[in-house]
PDB file of all heavy atoms in Angstrom:
ATOM      1  N   ILE A 823      84.778  96.598 111.594  1.00 98.00           N
ATOM      2  CA  ILE A 823      85.896  95.763 112.009  1.00 98.00           C
ATOM      3  C   ILE A 823      85.755  94.370 111.399  1.00 98.00           C
ATOM      4  O   ILE A 823      84.801  93.643 111.699  1.00 98.00           O
ATOM      5  CB  ILE A 823      85.967  95.649 113.540  1.00 98.00           C
ATOM      6  CG1 ILE A 823      86.100  97.050 114.159  1.00 98.00           C
ATOM      7  CG2 ILE A 823      87.115  94.753 113.971  1.00 98.00           C
ATOM      8  CD1 ILE A 823      86.120  97.048 115.672  1.00 98.00           C
ATOM      9  N   ARG A 839      91.197  93.203 114.923  1.00 98.00           N
ATOM     10  CA  ARG A 839      91.995  94.342 115.365  1.00 98.00           C
ATOM     11  C   ARG A 839      91.459  95.606 114.712  1.00 98.00           C
ATOM     12  O   ARG A 839      90.845  95.572 113.637  1.00 98.00           O
ATOM     13  CB  ARG A 839      93.465  94.155 115.012  1.00 98.00           C
ATOM     14  CG  ARG A 839      93.748  94.042 113.516  1.00 98.00           C
ATOM     15  CD  ARG A 839      95.228  93.783 113.254  1.00 98.00           C
ATOM     16  NE  ARG A 839      95.637  92.495 113.797  1.00 98.00           N
ATOM     17  CZ  ARG A 839      96.912  92.107 113.889  1.00 98.00           C
ATOM     18  NH1 ARG A 839      97.874  92.914 113.501  1.00 98.00           N
ATOM     19  NH2 ARG A 839      97.203  90.899 114.354  1.00 98.00           N
ATOM     20  N   PHE A 840      91.658  96.723 115.393  1.00 98.00           N
ATOM     21  CA  PHE A 840      91.276  98.017 114.842  1.00 98.00           C
ATOM     22  C   PHE A 840      92.048  99.097 115.579  1.00 98.00           C
ATOM     23  O   PHE A 840      92.757  98.815 116.551  1.00 98.00           O
ATOM     24  CB  PHE A 840      89.759  98.243 114.944  1.00 98.00           C
ATOM     25  CG  PHE A 840      89.228  98.390 116.348  1.00 98.00           C
ATOM     26  CD1 PHE A 840      88.838  99.625 116.826  1.00 98.00           C
ATOM     27  CD2 PHE A 840      89.082  97.287 117.181  1.00 98.00           C
ATOM     28  CE1 PHE A 840      88.322  99.773 118.111  1.00 98.00           C
ATOM     29  CE2 PHE A 840      88.570  97.419 118.457  1.00 98.00           C
ATOM     30  CZ  PHE A 840      88.197  98.667 118.932  1.00 98.00           C
ATOM     31  N   ALA A 841      91.921 100.320 115.110  1.00 98.00           N
ATOM     32  CA  ALA A 841      92.589 101.470 115.731  1.00 98.00           C
ATOM     33  C   ALA A 841      91.556 102.547 116.009  1.00 98.00           C
ATOM     34  O   ALA A 841      90.542 102.666 115.302  1.00 98.00           O
ATOM     35  CB  ALA A 841      93.690 102.009 114.830  1.00 98.00           C
ATOM     36  N   LEU A 842      91.810 103.321 117.046  1.00 98.00           N
ATOM     37  CA  LEU A 842      90.957 104.475 117.315  1.00 98.00           C
ATOM     38  C   LEU A 842      91.816 105.633 117.813  1.00 98.00           C
ATOM     39  O   LEU A 842      92.960 105.433 118.251  1.00 98.00           O
ATOM     40  CB  LEU A 842      89.843 104.144 118.315  1.00 98.00           C
ATOM     41  CG  LEU A 842      90.187 103.694 119.741  1.00 98.00           C
ATOM     42  CD1 LEU A 842      90.574 104.860 120.641  1.00 98.00           C
ATOM     43  CD2 LEU A 842      88.989 102.973 120.351  1.00 98.00           C
ATOM     44  N   LEU A 865      95.551 104.586 119.205  1.00 98.00           N
ATOM     45  CA  LEU A 865      95.687 103.341 119.955  1.00 98.00           C
ATOM     46  C   LEU A 865      95.402 102.184 119.005  1.00 98.00           C
ATOM     47  O   LEU A 865      94.419 102.221 118.256  1.00 98.00           O
ATOM     48  CB  LEU A 865      94.691 103.291 121.121  1.00 98.00           C
ATOM     49  CG  LEU A 865      94.755 104.421 122.150  1.00 98.00           C
ATOM     50  CD1 LEU A 865      93.629 104.243 123.171  1.00 98.00           C
ATOM     51  CD2 LEU A 865      96.115 104.473 122.843  1.00 98.00           C
ATOM     52  N   ASP A 866      96.245 101.155 119.030  1.00 98.00           N
ATOM     53  CA  ASP A 866      96.027  99.956 118.230  1.00 98.00           C
ATOM     54  C   ASP A 866      95.508  98.850 119.141  1.00 98.00           C
ATOM     55  O   ASP A 866      96.169  98.481 120.121  1.00 98.00           O
ATOM     56  CB  ASP A 866      97.321  99.514 117.542  1.00 98.00           C
ATOM     57  CG  ASP A 866      97.688 100.424 116.385  1.00 98.00           C
ATOM     58  OD1 ASP A 866      96.779 101.037 115.798  1.00 98.00           O
ATOM     59  OD2 ASP A 866      98.887 100.522 116.051  1.00 98.00           O
ATOM     60  N   ILE A 867      94.335  98.332 118.812  1.00 98.00           N
ATOM     61  CA  ILE A 867      93.628  97.390 119.682  1.00 98.00           C
ATOM     62  C   ILE A 867      93.504  96.044 118.977  1.00 98.00           C
ATOM     63  O   ILE A 867      93.129  95.971 117.798  1.00 98.00           O
ATOM     64  CB  ILE A 867      92.239  97.934 120.030  1.00 98.00           C
ATOM     65  CG1 ILE A 867      92.381  99.294 120.734  1.00 98.00           C
ATOM     66  CG2 ILE A 867      91.462  96.942 120.901  1.00 98.00           C
ATOM     67  CD1 ILE A 867      91.095 100.068 120.846  1.00 98.00           C
ATOM     68  N   PHE A 869      92.075  91.927 119.748  1.00 98.00           N
ATOM     69  CA  PHE A 869      91.301  91.123 120.691  1.00 98.00           C
ATOM     70  C   PHE A 869      91.209  89.674 120.225  1.00 98.00           C
ATOM     71  O   PHE A 869      91.195  89.371 119.021  1.00 98.00           O
ATOM     72  CB  PHE A 869      89.898  91.715 120.909  1.00 98.00           C
ATOM     73  CG  PHE A 869      89.116  91.916 119.642  1.00 98.00           C
ATOM     74  CD1 PHE A 869      88.311  90.910 119.117  1.00 98.00           C
ATOM     75  CD2 PHE A 869      89.178  93.131 118.969  1.00 98.00           C
ATOM     76  CE1 PHE A 869      87.596  91.104 117.947  1.00 98.00           C
ATOM     77  CE2 PHE A 869      88.459  93.341 117.796  1.00 98.00           C
ATOM     78  CZ  PHE A 869      87.660  92.305 117.290  1.00 98.00           C
TER      79      PHE A 869
END
Side-chain angles (χ1 to χ4, degrees):
I823 302 178
R839 62 183 64 190
F840 67 106
L842 62 79
L865 302 176
D866 286 333
I867 301 167
F869 55 89

